[in-house]
């Protein structure tokens, strides 16, 4: 019983040490240089969507329609948001929005 437990502990500790080393090795290619890695999976949210739309080469009419859709959703989102936020949270949200618009 003791021998099996000890073997299991040694195996688990060896695996726990090897797994990070294997993950780190994947970032480097065989010549020792850092491997090229595309971060497209990290482009989430509105920024990634806008970039994707930009690559579609939309017409001016399509751009205007998309802008209208976004505006409608933004207005309805803010109205619904105000119904669930407390007064202090609404003030904080308004400050954040003003700060974003100032950028």
């Amino acid at each position: 019983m003791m021998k099996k437990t000890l073997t299991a502990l040694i195996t688990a500790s060896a695996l726990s040490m090897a797994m990070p080393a294997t993950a780190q090795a994947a970032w480097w290619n065989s010549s020792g240089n850092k491997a090229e890695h595309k971060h497209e999976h990290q482009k989430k949210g509105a920024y990634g969507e806008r970039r994707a739309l930009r690559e579609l080469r939309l017409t001016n009419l399509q751009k205007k329609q998309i802008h209208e859709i976004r505006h409608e959703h933004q207005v309805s989102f803010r109205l619904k948001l105000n119904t669930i936020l407390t007064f202090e949270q609404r003030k904080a949200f308004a400050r954040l929005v003003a700060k974003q618009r100032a950028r």
Side-chain angles (χ1 to χ4, degrees):
M1 177 74 176
M2 180 73 157
K3 191 174 183 180
K4 282 185 179 181
T5 305
L6 187 58
T7 305
L9 286 172
I10 291 172
T11 304
S13 65
L15 284 174
S16 68
M17 296 294 282
M19 289 169 74
T22 307
Q24 181 67 25
W27 285 93
W28 300 88
N29 61 22
S30 60
S31 64
N33 298 324
K34 191 166 185 173
E36 185 178 331
H37 182 71
K38 294 184 179 181
H39 295 281
E40 292 179 16
H41 63 281
Q42 294 177 353
K43 294 176 185 166
K44 298 177 182 173
Y47 179 74
E49 291 169 5
R50 277 182 279 194
R51 177 172 284 190
L53 287 173
R54 207 177 312 139
E55 292 176 7
L56 292 178
R57 297 183 182 158
L58 302 169
T59 65
N60 287 336
L61 178 62
Q62 289 172 321
K63 289 177 185 177
K64 183 179 177 185
Q65 290 171 334
I66 290 171
H67 178 76
E68 290 170 359
I69 292 168
R70 279 199 175 139
H71 182 70
E72 289 170 13
H73 285 282
Q74 184 179 28
V75 170
S76 66
F77 169 76
R78 293 239 168 97
L79 290 173
K80 290 177 184 177
L81 185 66
N82 283 334
T83 62
I84 63 168
L85 295 179
T86 64
F87 178 73
E88 293 83 18
Q89 289 171 329
R90 276 184 254 155
K91 282 178 28 179
F93 182 72
R95 281 194 303 270
L96 291 170
V97 169
K99 188 177 178 180
Q100 271 186 335
R101 288 183 181 164
R103 288 183 192 173

